[in-house]
Amino acid sequence: MRLVIARCSVDYAGRLNAHLPLATRVLMHKGDGSLLIHSDGGSYKPLNWMSPPCRLDHGEIDEELASAGVVEVWKVTHQKTGDALTVRIHEILSDTTHDLGIDPGLIKDGVESDLQRLLAEQVELIADGATLVRREYPTAIGPVDLLVRDADGVAIAVEVKRRGDIDGVEQLTRYLDLLGRDPLLTGIQGVFAAQEIKPQARTLATDRGIRCVTLDYEAMKGIDSGVPTLF
């Protein structure tokens, strides 16, 4: 990645035309060919940009540009649309290049796999005295997230979501229908567990005899949220 801090003006021509007058900006030319132009504001959003596939070429400095103080011209052209981003640089204040290597990608905290793992370790949140039978318990239409047994030995199928909606309840209903045909799981119950459960999903679950459990992810991780509680 090349990072250039420069006094420049920018013109975009294509499906729309846009102009950025002369000012100091950050030019970010990434390894994928894209060019992003940032100011010292606007958070993460660039003032203008060109997404790949595109190509950066250096234009010639004619007498008119030279007399106006232009020292470099960058022209970035989109290879499919023909849109063009032209950067006229008057002064380069900093110019550095960095090899960032291969990025592993964003790892989200609080995804369903994390909730499932934590709940498998804390099955007492499902029922007092509960024990885990298996995570990803197989069925003919896919695995149910958790299968546990309560203190009386009753099997409970648990579907875990970050945000519980009607589709999740329908999914658990199908699992319960299949699992209930197994004589070893006679009388199996269902629990729909999520950080947030939509009212329509809660109503449907209750109608089908499925119990809803709202998960406090921070508490499950052992982190104090800092919100005062009565008990």
Side-chain angles (χ1 to χ4, degrees):
M1 177 185 292
R2 183 183 178 190
L3 293 174
V4 176
I5 300 175
R7 293 182 63 249
C8 62
S9 64
V10 184
D11 289 280
Y12 193 104
R15 289 165 292 182
L16 56 84
N17 296 327
H19 174 70
L20 293 172
L22 185 63
T24 301
R25 300 185 176 93
V26 176
L27 310 177
M28 182 185 297
H29 187 219
K30 298 172 68 175
D32 61 5
S34 59
L35 179 69
L36 297 89
I37 300 161
H38 287 271
S39 65
D40 194 14
S43 186
Y44 64 91
K45 188 176 182 180
L47 297 169
N48 215 326
W49 67 93
M50 183 67 75
S51 301
C54 57
R55 189 176 108 181
L56 188 153
D57 296 300
H58 292 273
E60 294 185 2
I61 308 296
D62 58 24
E63 291 184 7
E64 182 179 355
L65 290 173
S67 63
V70 176
V71 295
E72 286 190 28
V73 175
W74 296 3
K75 185 173 182 179
V76 184
T77 307
H78 196 278
Q79 295 178 342
K80 291 184 177 180
T81 66
D83 288 12
L85 188 66
T86 303
V87 182
R88 295 177 178 85
I89 299 174
H90 290 245
E91 181 184 6
I92 293 178
L93 305 175
S94 175
D95 188 347
T96 58
T97 301
H98 306 272
D99 183 2
L100 302 185
I102 299 174
D103 191 278
L106 178 67
I107 300 174
K108 295 183 179 180
D109 192 23
V111 296
E112 288 174 11
S113 59
D114 292 327
L115 286 170
Q116 182 192 124
R117 174 182 56 81
L118 288 169
L119 191 56
E121 296 169 355
Q122 303 172 46
V123 289
E124 67 276 4
L125 295 174
I126 299 301
D128 291 337
T131 56
L132 176 68
V133 176
R134 179 174 172 176
R135 290 178 60 184
E136 301 289 339
Y137 189 88
T139 78
I141 57 172
V144 66
D145 290 331
L146 301 176
L147 183 69
V148 305
R149 289 189 182 275
D150 66 14
D152 297 323
V154 176
I156 304 173
V158 185
E159 185 64 23
V160 182
K161 300 291 184 185
R162 288 189 66 216
R163 292 181 176 84
D165 56 21
I166 286 177
D167 288 344
V169 177
E170 294 285 7
Q171 182 181 3
L172 179 55
T173 300
R174 293 191 293 271
Y175 289 147
L176 289 169
D177 180 60
L178 287 171
L179 293 170
R181 301 174 192 177
D182 185 338
L184 297 178
L185 300 175
T186 300
I188 188 169
Q189 299 176 2
V191 168
F192 189 53
Q195 287 180 272
E196 176 187 350
I197 301 176
K198 294 183 178 179
Q200 300 92 328
R202 190 179 293 274
T203 299
L204 180 62
T206 301
D207 183 68
R208 295 185 176 178
I210 295 171
R211 184 160 53 89
C212 292
V213 173
T214 302
L215 302 175
D216 185 337
Y217 180 65
E218 299 300 323
M220 292 171 71
K221 290 199 303 178
I223 297 175
D224 186 353
S225 67
V227 178
T229 58
L230 291 175
F231 302 100

